[in-house]
Amino acid sequence: MSAHFWNDAEIILYIIIAVLVVDNLWAVYLQIREIIAVHEVDQVPPVISPYLPQDLFNKMRTYKIHKCWFTVINTLLIVVFSGILELFFGFYPWLWDVATKCSLAKWMEHEACVSIFFVLLLSLYITLKACPGMLYEKLFIKALQERKHPPWLRRICREIIDTILAVIFMSLTVVSLVFMVLWLKEYTAVGLYVQSLLLTLLLILLVPFLIDPFVGKRVPLENANLRSDLEHLTDIVDFPMRQVHIIRVNDPNTPSNAFFYGSCCLKRIVIFDTLLLNRGHKDLSTLSPEEVGKGLRDSQVVAVVAHELGHWVHGHFYKAIFMFQFHMILMMCLFHVLFTHGPIYEAVGFEAGLQPIVVGFLIVFGFVLTPYLTMSNFCMLSATRHFEYQADSFAWEMGFSKDLRQALLKLYADNLAFPISDPCYSSWNHTHPTMLDRLNRLEKLQQRLDSNGT
Ligand SMILES: [Zn+2]
């Protein structure tokens, strides 16, 4: 056995366990910070008090604290404690052995087939392990939320259909991965990267054509005043007005939303009709009572579109694509080095020379790459949060600070959510800054301008 840790299975096992423990203790630390932050605020923040009654805030706060504690206990017991035992006592080689014994015919001994058995058994094990937690969550935590649940029979049918679809999807993925590695051998990482690149390109090309049938259908903007305001705004930054799409969403419960998407001739700003006051209807008789009065006034919609134009002006779509590709290339380079490295398999208990493909993916992406994945996730979240602030600043520069603040508050009132989050927890978990953070930032920008002006 070499003294060098890279070839020492025992040292690699301890490193993998240390990574598992440190990564999850960090997640637990963030959860505890979140609990403290939520605990400290027992009154609705004044800025949102007109929209969020104190008793609803109290209920949301209790739910949030309960849910955070549940996540802490679940992480420590199910992820850390059982994770250490599984790694230390060779659970994965044992399960692979069981999967091999499931092969009842000669053709089932092919690695692709054994891999499907392995993944099915592993999923069963994970589900059984998560059962007590899931039951507790359903019975005690979800009950705090007072949401309407569909009838039991429909829920059971839905669960069965979801499970069947998941098994089919998982089996196809496992088979395609196994054959890809068998065919491409040392070029697997290149193959995986090319596959992800093609998928990204396909999504960029297809999403504009998928919105219409699946989310809703494009409708003309009935409101002439709003239309001329938007034309004026898009003219200033030279964005084609024909690429501002109003979508009449199929599901009226779709959260009010607007987003910028795409590049070149496929670029567009999509506005769900739920964002518009009374869904953009002049005739209110077509709306359900709870839809009346929801949505933004014209000036607020223009402010939201100014924010979306900020994403376009600052090239956030290109930056996000570049960032993701950079992440994929780096990840595939690391994968290439680790995937074929025998001592990693020996570290979790496999005999020398036995390197099942599907277990390789599990160990590399599930354990060994954790430090890289955690850090890259943090960097990407920081970037997307920075993009949001930058787009807000753009709307502010265009003179929409007040309207954007009102729009954020109105959207908040329409889609009430718990408003408090610890800044550190938020920066490691959320793609967007919280609504209160965005309001504060806009306020500061305005104050700076006011103090410079006086
Ligand atoms: Zn945005």
Side-chain angles (χ1 to χ4, degrees):
M1 192 183 283
S2 162
H4 195 277
F5 86 90
W6 180 235
N7 292 315
D8 189 327
E10 205 179 338
I11 295 178
I12 292 178
L13 173 65
Y14 290 129
I15 292 175
I16 292 176
I17 291 177
V19 163
L20 174 80
V21 172
V22 172
D23 186 63
N24 283 290
L25 286 186
W26 176 247
V28 165
Y29 166 72
L30 292 175
Q31 284 287 345
I32 289 173
R33 280 189 67 114
E34 184 79 340
I35 293 169
I36 293 169
V38 174
H39 223 278
E40 276 172 355
V41 184
D42 59 359
Q43 297 294 316
V44 186
V47 70
I48 49 168
S49 57
Y51 315 103
L52 184 61
Q54 182 65 43
D55 58 338
L56 181 58
F57 176 83
N58 293 344
K59 276 184 195 161
M60 287 176 165
R61 186 167 167 265
T62 311
Y63 171 78
K64 176 88 185 176
I65 292 175
H66 208 129
K67 175 110 184 143
C68 285
W69 275 122
F70 172 74
T71 310
V72 167
I73 305 293
N74 214 32
T75 307
L76 291 176
L77 285 180
I78 304 295
V79 185
V80 179
F81 183 65
S82 76
I84 293 172
L85 294 182
E86 286 155 13
L87 287 167
F88 199 80
F89 291 107
F91 170 74
Y92 296 103
W94 175 79
L95 197 68
W96 181 258
D97 199 38
V98 176
T100 313
K101 286 176 183 151
C102 288
S103 312
L104 298 174
K106 189 78 188 153
W107 63 271
M108 285 184 181
E109 287 170 15
H110 190 279
E111 181 157 2
C113 231
V114 180
S115 299
I116 293 176
F117 294 141
F118 176 83
V119 174
L120 288 177
L121 287 169
L122 186 64
S123 308
L124 188 69
Y125 167 72
I126 291 171
T127 311
L128 287 176
K129 200 166 67 161
C131 257
M134 266 164 25
L135 264 176
Y136 181 81
E137 196 181 7
K138 279 211 160 67
L139 292 176
F140 298 104
I141 300 187
K142 292 243 165 92
L144 292 169
Q145 259 195 320
E146 287 183 9
R147 277 194 185 156
K148 276 187 199 159
H149 295 294
W152 271 101
L153 190 65
R154 200 189 300 169
R155 279 162 77 184
I156 291 170
C157 289
R158 208 177 172 163
E159 290 285 333
I160 293 172
I161 293 169
D162 284 354
T163 310
I164 293 170
L165 287 176
V167 168
I168 294 171
F169 178 75
M170 200 167 62
S171 305
L172 290 174
T173 310
V174 165
V175 170
S176 64
L177 279 179
V178 169
F179 278 107
M180 184 187 249
V181 176
L182 290 176
W183 283 331
L184 295 176
K185 295 188 173 74
E186 68 268 33
Y187 298 106
T188 301
V190 179
L192 285 171
Y193 176 68
V194 171
Q195 197 182 40
S196 89
L197 190 66
L198 291 175
L199 264 174
T200 311
L201 288 173
L202 199 70
L203 270 179
I204 293 173
L205 293 172
L206 280 185
V207 165
F209 303 101
L210 293 177
I211 288 176
D212 275 13
F214 291 106
V215 183
K217 72 174 200 305
R218 189 178 177 187
V219 290
L221 183 54
E222 287 177 22
N223 183 335
N225 289 338
L226 178 57
R227 186 172 177 84
S228 81
D229 286 349
L230 288 179
E231 274 168 353
H232 177 67
L233 175 67
T234 48
D235 272 354
I236 297 173
V237 292
D238 206 17
F239 187 89
M241 182 61 195
R242 66 175 184 286
Q243 300 292 33
V244 178
H245 293 207
I246 309 291
I247 301 291
R248 176 88 63 231
V249 291
N250 298 331
D251 178 5
N253 295 322
T254 308
S256 32
N257 199 4
F259 58 92
F260 168 74
Y261 163 85
S263 55
C264 312
C265 56
L266 287 175
K267 65 175 175 287
R268 58 194 58 183
I269 288 174
V270 174
I271 301 171
F272 290 172
D273 66 339
T274 41
L275 191 82
L276 309 176
L277 185 63
N278 299 322
R279 296 189 71 184
H281 287 289
K282 280 184 190 151
D283 176 12
L284 302 189
S285 62
T286 52
L287 297 173
S288 63
E290 59 270 20
E291 284 175 332
V292 176
K294 277 199 168 186
L296 304 181
R297 290 200 317 267
D298 292 358
S299 60
Q300 296 167 346
V301 175
V302 180
V304 170
V305 173
H307 168 95
E308 298 308 325
L309 284 169
H311 284 307
W312 177 63
V313 167
H314 287 288
H316 290 164
F317 185 78
Y318 295 107
K319 286 177 186 168
I321 296 277
F322 173 78
M323 199 166 61
F324 181 67
Q325 293 310 316
F326 181 70
H327 156 69
M328 283 303 293
I329 291 172
L330 218 58
M331 188 167 71
M332 284 307 139
C333 289
L334 290 169
F335 172 80
H336 177 72
V337 175
L338 298 166
F339 185 62
T340 49
H341 190 58
I344 287 177
Y345 295 79
E346 290 168 43
V348 296
F350 282 93
E351 295 163 18
L354 182 57
Q355 298 181 12
I357 293 165
V358 74
V359 182
F361 276 93
L362 177 77
I363 301 296
V364 171
F365 286 111
F367 296 101
V368 186
L369 274 181
T370 299
Y372 169 74
L373 292 176
T374 303
M375 287 317 295
S376 65
N377 186 48
F378 173 72
C379 293
M380 283 194 276
L381 288 180
S382 304
T384 56
R385 291 156 63 81
H386 173 69
F387 292 168
E388 288 311 311
Y389 282 134
Q390 218 172 18
D392 278 351
S393 299
F394 179 80
W396 170 78
E397 281 162 25
M398 299 286 286
F400 293 105
S401 170
K402 193 164 152 256
D403 289 315
L404 187 60
R405 271 183 290 166
Q406 285 172 349
L408 287 171
L409 283 169
K410 183 68 176 32
L411 287 177
Y412 179 75
D414 290 351
N415 313 286
L416 287 178
F418 191 70
I420 311 296
S421 191
D422 172 66
C424 188
Y425 175 88
S426 195
S427 59
W428 284 81
N429 288 282
H430 298 154
T431 55
H432 282 54
T434 63
M435 188 268 305
L436 289 178
D437 286 343
R438 289 176 69 185
L439 286 178
N440 285 338
R441 183 79 158 231
L442 284 166
E443 195 106 9
K444 273 185 196 146
L445 285 172
Q446 196 57 40
Q447 277 170 3
R448 211 180 301 159
L449 184 77
D450 293 345
S451 61
N452 287 344
T454 52

